[in-house]
Amino acid sequence: MIARSIASLASITVAAALCACGSAPRDERRPVAEAPVAAAPVPAYAQYGRVRDIEVVPVASRTSGGGAVLGAVLGAVVGNQIGSGTGRVAATGVGAVAGGVVGNQIERRNRRDDEIYRVSVRFDNGSVQSYDFQRVDDLRVGDRVKWEGGQLHRV
């Protein structure tokens, strides 16, 4: 009888635990679904102005980590060929660290530093805005421009 009660209590406990994991208690005061947030409307008109400044902004060069990983693997393989026993383990670790550092430096050297162009425009209403572009083609300081639909056009 006691064994049956314990088994029954254990099954109820397991069922309660499984139900508790299935869903969190619901707060009736909180709405089930939130209303979507509307995006800010893009102005349907164009703004005109003149290019005030164009500056080249270097983008920090980040490595992907692939060079470090490959270097660490190669360094560990080379380090594992040296010595025996505890010395071999130490050489493998040192080779992995040194290979990772060297591989990261090689990747950094082989990557091309990208640049962006920051174009400052003084609009006819007196405001000044800066925009970043991958290229500016033949745009020059003093050019008359139109900003429309997220694009800068020379007029």
Side-chain angles (χ1 to χ4, degrees), residues 38-51:
V42 177
Y45 60 90
Q47 291 182 317
Y48 292 88
R50 292 207 178 271
V51 175

Side-chain angles (χ1 to χ4, degrees), residues 76-101:
V77 168
V78 170
N80 194 36
Q81 303 301 315
I82 299 172
S84 63
T86 307
R88 177 176 283 178
V89 172
T92 301
V94 169
V97 170
V101 170

Side-chain angles (χ1 to χ4, degrees), residues 99-119:
V101 170
V102 170
N104 191 42
Q105 292 300 322
I106 291 172
E107 182 184 6
R108 185 181 308 273
R109 192 173 333 127
N110 288 337
R111 287 181 67 109
R112 181 177 67 86
D113 285 342
D114 292 326
E115 299 174 335
I116 59 171
Y117 298 92
R118 182 158 296 146
V119 179

Side-chain angles (χ1 to χ4, degrees), residues 126-146:
S127 67
V128 176
Q129 294 289 324
S130 294
Y131 305 100
D132 292 340
F133 297 100
Q134 292 293 324
R135 60 179 227 258
V136 292
D137 295 330
D138 61 344
L139 191 65
R140 303 284 180 249
V141 174
D143 283 352
R144 182 93 174 135
V145 292
K146 172 176 76 168

